[in-house]
Each structure stands twice: as C-alpha cells, then as structure tokens.
C-alpha cells in the first residue's frame, strides 16, 4: 500500500522519518529541514503512517509489521534506493523496529525517539487516554473551533487539542469531520501496544540507538539498562518530555548528527 508522503533534501542517503500515533508526516518536517541543512547528504521521506493523515485506512487486523511493509513500499515507490535509515518517534519507532524484523535487508539503522522495544502498559499510554476522549467526541462539528472546545471540555490541553484538530477535514454537507477512522485506530492501538520488539535489538547486524525525554515514561530506567546491554546506546534529554523533537530540537539535532 502506497502512503501519502513528501520529501526533504536531495542527498543520496535515504532516511525515513516516522511520526507517532495520531500524527502525520508534517509533525517531523521541522526536524527534517533542520537536519537537511546540517547534512546535505541525506534525503528524507516523511510519510503519513497507514490509517493516519491522508494515507489509506488501516486494514482489518493490521499489525506493526503491516504498517512497516507499507512504509518500505512507499519508500521504494518514491525512488529511495538501498538500505534505509529509520528514525521514528513513539509509534513510528516501533514501526521502525518492526521493519527491521520484517525485512532486515531494507533497514540500515533504527533511531528511536522516546520509545523502547518493550510492550506499552495501558496505564503508561498517554495516547490511549487521548484516544478514549477522541472516541467520545462528536464525529463532526460546524467548525474547528467548536471541535476544539469539545476536546478541551473533555480535559485535553489547548495545545494538544490544537494538534488534534489538524486531523479534521471539510465534510461534504458542510462543517468539519475527522479525517481518520477513530474506531480502527483505537483497535490498532490496543493491539500493537502489546507487541514485544526486543528481537530487533538481538538480530544479527542490528544497529539501533535511542534518545529519551527525561520527563517522559516510555523508556524506563530498566529499559535503558537492558537496551545498552544489548548494544543500543541510550541518551537522555533531562528537560524534554515525550515529544523530544518539540521540547529540545537543538539538542536532538546535535545528537542525531553527532555534532
């Protein structure tokens, strides 16, 4: 399945940037632009993951491996040649690990942005709580402001609500509606959070690194110890939360580029 995507940079080193749950490729555009300015040798592909943004909906029973296959197919259709560097935030990191297990010959390296190979306990899943509020919200509204008020009225912050209403589109009969299928995303989220991806670190030739936000909880201290014991270095940005690319963009870029 070919996904909606766009590219940044004109280099020869193919690099795929994957967003998190409920996001789109645009979420990582600023990172791609900044990275491209520092490293002219890279060419970045930023897709909307399956079921997200303007990409096709998730098929029934979709797994992380299903989405990973769509990403690789999209990269090849876009002209990216050779093993790909994967950089993924949250869900995007887990899709990257799944890609390395599904087709290791297609993956040169995996960089995890505040996510580990561990399954995600329900009580730690912030996106799960957001999903429940989204499911309770109306399917449509007269305008974005009205839908935003629905979300904030259910307890979501203003900035998070602003981010979520980016997923609204014009409805045929007027007003706005959700662009994604909330029920299929909720079902997918509940299923794939239980997937254990540690085999991606122990497979022959694995090249994985991770950076975590010191204020987030997705990469525990126990995960850090286990990851480093398996050859995956882990860096911590003390003041950053889960969205490391938003909270500490300059520090993240220095780490990514080794500068």
């Amino acid at each position: 399945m070919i996904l909606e995507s766009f590219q940044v940079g004109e280099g020869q080193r193919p690099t795929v940037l994957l967003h998190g749950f409920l996001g789109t490729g645009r979420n990582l555009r600023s990172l791609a632009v900044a990275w491209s300015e520092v490293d002219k040798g890279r060419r970045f592909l930023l897709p909307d993951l399956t079921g997200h943004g303007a990409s096709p909906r998730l098929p029934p029973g979709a797994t992380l491996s299903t989405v990973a296959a769509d990403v690789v197919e999209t990269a090849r259709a876009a002209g990216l040649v050779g093993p790909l560097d994967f950089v993924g935030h949250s869900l995007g990191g887990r899709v990257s690990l799944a890609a390395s297990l599904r087709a290791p010959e297609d993956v040169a390296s995996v960089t995890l942005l505040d996510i580990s190979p561990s399954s995600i306990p329900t009580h730690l899943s912030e996106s799960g709580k957001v999903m429940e509020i989204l499911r309770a919200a109306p399917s449509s509204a007269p305008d974005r402001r009205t839908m935003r008020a629905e979300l904030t009225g259910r307890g979501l912050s203003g900035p998070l609500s602003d981010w979520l209403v980016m997923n609204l589109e014009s409805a045929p009969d007027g007003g706005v509606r959700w662009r994604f299928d909330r029920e299929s995303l909720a079902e997918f989220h509940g299923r794939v959070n239980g997937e254990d991806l540690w085999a991606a670190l122990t497979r022959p030739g694995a090249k994985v690194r991770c950076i975590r936000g010191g204020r987030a909880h997705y990469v525990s201290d126990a995960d850090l110890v286990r990851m480093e014991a398996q050859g995956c270095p882990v860096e911590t940005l003390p003041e950053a939360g889960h969205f490391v690319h938003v909270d500490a963009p300059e520090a993240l870029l220095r780490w990514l580029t080794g500068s």
Side-chain angles (χ1 to χ4, degrees):
M1 185 184 298
I2 303 300
L3 306 176
E4 180 72 17
S5 66
F6 65 93
Q7 297 185 37
V8 172
E10 300 178 352
Q12 296 301 308
R13 185 170 179 177
T15 306
V16 180
L17 297 185
L18 300 182
H19 63 82
F21 188 63
L22 300 177
T24 69
R26 289 180 298 168
N27 297 152
L28 296 172
R29 184 181 185 281
S30 294
L31 173 60
V33 170
W35 194 347
S36 179
E37 290 174 353
V38 174
D39 187 350
K40 303 292 187 182
R42 289 187 183 269
R43 178 181 173 190
F44 297 91
L45 180 75
L46 294 86
D48 292 350
L49 292 174
T50 319
H52 294 73
S55 284
R57 292 188 174 188
L58 288 158
T63 64
L64 293 172
S65 184
T66 306
V67 178
D70 291 342
V71 171
V72 173
E73 183 179 354
T74 299
R76 298 311 182 204
L80 272 63
V81 178
L84 310 166
D85 287 327
F86 276 77
V87 181
H89 173 247
S90 200
L91 171 63
R94 292 173 62 76
V95 170
S96 300
L97 292 173
S100 74
L101 289 171
R102 180 186 178 95
E105 69 279 3
D106 286 317
V107 180
S109 69
V110 172
T111 297
L112 303 172
L113 306 183
D114 203 62
I115 200 68
S116 85
S118 295
S119 58
I120 303 173
T122 302
H123 71 279
L124 285 183
S125 178
E126 297 170 13
S127 54
K129 300 180 181 69
V130 172
M131 191 71 243
E132 287 306 307
I133 292 175
L134 271 178
R135 293 173 75 186
S139 59
S140 62
D143 51 45
R144 291 172 183 269
R145 180 178 296 180
T146 303
M147 187 66 82
R148 182 185 187 277
E150 289 282 353
L151 298 178
T152 56
R154 286 172 165 80
L156 294 185
S157 69
L160 179 54
S161 298
D162 288 336
W163 179 68
L164 287 170
V165 297
M166 292 171 64
N167 288 293
L168 292 170
E169 64 181 4
S170 298
D173 56 351
V176 294
R177 66 182 182 183
W178 294 110
R179 183 166 50 189
F180 46 49
D181 182 333
R182 292 174 294 170
E183 293 306 316
S184 67
L185 279 172
E187 189 268 340
F188 171 76
H189 184 265
R191 181 172 58 254
V192 303
N193 271 7
E195 292 191 38
D196 182 307
L197 297 162
W198 283 97
L201 269 65
T202 57
R203 72 172 180 83
K207 185 178 180 182
V208 185
R209 60 177 177 167
C210 174
I211 191 163
R212 66 174 184 166
R215 296 190 290 105
H217 307 287
Y218 282 92
V219 183
S220 68
D221 291 341
D223 285 331
L224 183 152
V225 171
R226 184 177 176 186
M227 292 168 79
E228 293 199 326
Q230 295 185 6
C232 171
V234 180
E235 181 73 19
T236 301
L237 296 176
E239 302 305 317
H242 182 50
F243 291 85
V244 290
H245 53 290
V246 175
D247 295 339
E250 294 179 358
L252 173 61
L253 184 61
R254 286 195 297 271
W255 177 80
L256 287 168
T257 59
S259 59

